[in-house]
Amino acid sequence: MKLNARNLTLNALLLLAIVGQILSTQILWGHTSASGEVLGVYSKGYAVVLALHIALSLGWIAAFALRKRLKGWLSRPWPRGWVLTISYIPLLLLWLTLFEEVIKQYVALNWLLLALVIVVCAPDERTQWRRWLMGGGIIVLLLLPLVLITVLTIMRFSPDEAQYADMATSPFRVGGLYSRLWMRTPYVIEPGKGWSLAAYGWVLENVWYDIKAGRLWNFVVYLLAIAGIGAIAARLYGRRAAVVSVFIAALSQTFIPVVDYRPNHQLAAAVVLLTFTAIQARLGTKRRGMWHALTGLFATLSMQLHTAGVVFVLGFSVFYVTEFALNIVRRRPVREMLMPLLWFGIGAGIGSAVYYVFNIALSGGLQNYVDFLLTTRGTRLKTFAYLRWPSLIEWVIILAGFAFIAWRRRGADRLFLGILASVLVGVSLMDTQGYTHHYAPLYFVPIGTLIADGFFTRGIVRGTNWRSAAAAACIVVVLAGRMLGSFVAWDNVTVVLQTGTLPPYLYAEMGETLAQAISADDVVVGTHQLLWSFPDHEHLYSASAEGTAMERWGLSDPSAVWERAAPTVIVKVDGQTDVGPGLEDYMARHDFQMCDAFVVQGIAVTVYRESC
């Protein structure tokens, strides 16, 4: 496929810098300081940051106005490599300071934009691509162990992880996949849940019953998704572009730093697999029908990961139907028009049959399945924000990547944008929870071609020139600096490296102390996270189960739930146990009294009984 000659220019980068200032305006100016000394909102120190923002915004506008002179000056011989390297050191140190995250990101973004302007104006030359590849690979490989230790040791308040562990292990404990600690109505499999949860449950039951097992599961899924980003980029834009996309995705705040185990995070791996099969079906030369069928099959089976996989069923259906309609307009041969849609339909039909037999039928039939999802998922909780991103730096790079391929409009670009647009249609219509992982991986695919093709020079093999390598290096070191300064938990890493062991989870350590006060016959009520303390306790319920239990038993009085469950021990973990009015009434009615109190990892724990 012939490369388009539209490479990234100084004008485009300066416009990107101005866009970066615009995007940062709301973030910076929307801040409120504790002491409103300036304009009644900002502290004096933060007012300096806002002054810097105004100065840099005006500076980038002036640079665009004087771009011809700027290019002439930056094109002269000077030690730009050394200047960039030395100027990066204070930036790296800034990440390790206590300044607010938004300030660090803004400074880093402007350093990166200035570095890219310097690179694009530099005289180009051939370079050793493998040397740059090894450098980036070493940075990522050195960071991954530190990141993994952080993933396994950051233990924020995370009741959802306990809830999913509850569901995942229920098939092995009570013969059905549902949340037993919430006193849910028993199901063989709860509507909307996928059997991938049972696979996670098998790991918990047979390998390692620990919250860290879910974190490790999540980590591996993210690595597969990142590899999938590389596979898509390689198929569309070549291996060098793929390597850049992989490095940037691996250092992104979008994937690995989202540490907690959730089934919807696994959709990141599903979307790259589906996108790759759809692309292979069109760009491959053999067995295209098989790839179309696999796309349909995987789209429906993605619901075994999470019910939000339905966005892929709708999204890729929209893509295939739209492609069929366009082929009619273009008067393509009948076979060429029908075969992709037919094979996709066959695959989707097989997947739908499997899902119906093993999920819908086992959850009480189609009507019960739909009614349950409308009740629990029918209300839109979050509006979608496709044009906003948690990381300002990444968002500017992502926008640049999409602007580049939309401007270039190669066949591969149009194919990729068509798939993404169809997925976003599915997300907008079918996902009510505001998830991002079923489309976020696709945002990183164009970044590789932005660097490999946007900075290339005629006469030098794409991706092997100094400009491309230097641009990739600048982005990688900025994201690596942020990962080191804003995510890696250095205290935890130090402890692990010194002791050679991972610190115990709060609730695992708590269980050792609570075991002395709780017998096997006790009915225990507390936070869902007590599951990590007592995985084998038969009568353990979540204090948040009032609503689901009332619905299950047709009760109107929340205290009647606890009269029926008859708890003998109430465990309150400070700031982590939600005691509802029904449980409070039950405790008062039965004269529960504090029998024990202790502190674990700085968290106060109180045990209540009717009689001590």
Side-chain angles (χ1 to χ4, degrees), residues 41-264:
V41 179
Y42 310 111
S43 66
K44 291 181 179 179
Y46 196 81
V48 174
V49 176
L50 298 181
L52 175 64
H53 175 246
I54 295 173
L56 286 173
S57 299
L58 294 175
W60 284 114
I61 293 172
F64 183 78
L66 302 172
R67 55 193 178 276
K68 291 184 178 179
R69 293 184 182 181
L70 179 65
K71 185 174 183 179
W73 184 80
L74 291 177
S75 299
R76 297 172 183 174
W78 57 286
R80 53 182 58 82
W82 283 106
V83 170
L84 289 174
T85 302
I86 294 171
S87 64
Y88 175 72
I89 296 174
L91 177 63
L92 181 59
L93 294 176
L94 176 65
W95 284 119
L96 302 175
T97 65
L98 297 178
F99 283 104
E100 293 186 49
E101 178 70 15
V102 63
I103 298 174
K104 298 177 185 178
Q105 283 199 53
Y106 181 66
V107 173
L109 172 64
N110 281 278
W111 182 92
L112 175 59
L113 291 168
L114 180 57
L116 293 179
V117 167
I118 291 173
V119 167
V120 82
C121 292
D124 210 357
E125 61 183 3
R126 289 183 175 85
T127 189
Q128 292 292 329
W129 173 255
R130 290 186 178 181
R131 183 186 303 169
W132 292 87
L133 175 62
M134 288 178 60
I138 289 171
I139 290 174
V140 172
L141 291 176
L142 288 176
L143 271 175
L144 280 180
L146 304 178
V147 169
L148 179 57
I149 291 173
T150 302
V151 167
L152 297 178
T153 57
I154 288 182
M155 296 299 169
R156 298 184 284 259
F157 177 56
S158 186
D160 284 356
E161 286 184 277
Q163 182 188 348
Y164 285 122
D166 176 19
M167 290 187 201
T169 55
S170 288
F172 306 94
R173 302 297 178 106
V174 293
L177 200 155
Y178 62 95
S179 183
R180 63 188 189 276
L181 268 66
W182 270 13
M183 294 184 270
R184 286 269 199 191
T185 302
Y187 285 99
V188 176
I189 180 169
E190 187 176 290
K193 299 300 183 288
W195 284 109
S196 68
L197 268 170
Y200 170 49
W202 184 92
V203 172
L204 290 175
E205 292 286 353
N206 297 280
V207 181
W208 192 19
Y209 203 108
D210 195 292
I211 191 173
K212 301 180 189 70
R215 301 290 178 88
L216 189 59
W217 180 290
N218 225 38
F219 183 79
V220 171
V221 169
Y222 285 145
L223 292 183
L224 292 174
I226 291 167
I229 291 171
I232 295 170
R235 193 68 186 86
L236 291 173
Y237 304 120
R239 289 178 297 174
R240 292 185 176 90
V243 170
V244 175
S245 289
V246 165
F247 284 170
I248 293 173
L251 297 172
S252 165
Q253 298 292 303
T254 307
F255 304 113
I256 295 174
V258 185
V259 300
D260 53 324
Y261 170 86
R262 292 171 184 262
N264 60 287

Side-chain angles (χ1 to χ4, degrees), residues 187-192 359-365 368-369:
Y187 285 99
V188 176
I189 180 169
E190 187 176 290
N359 295 74
I360 295 177
L362 294 180
S363 65
N368 185 66
Y369 179 89

Side-chain angles (χ1 to χ4, degrees), residues 561-572:
V561 170
W562 304 112
E563 292 292 349
R564 188 162 184 166
T568 58
V569 178
I570 312 295
V571 178
K572 289 186 179 181

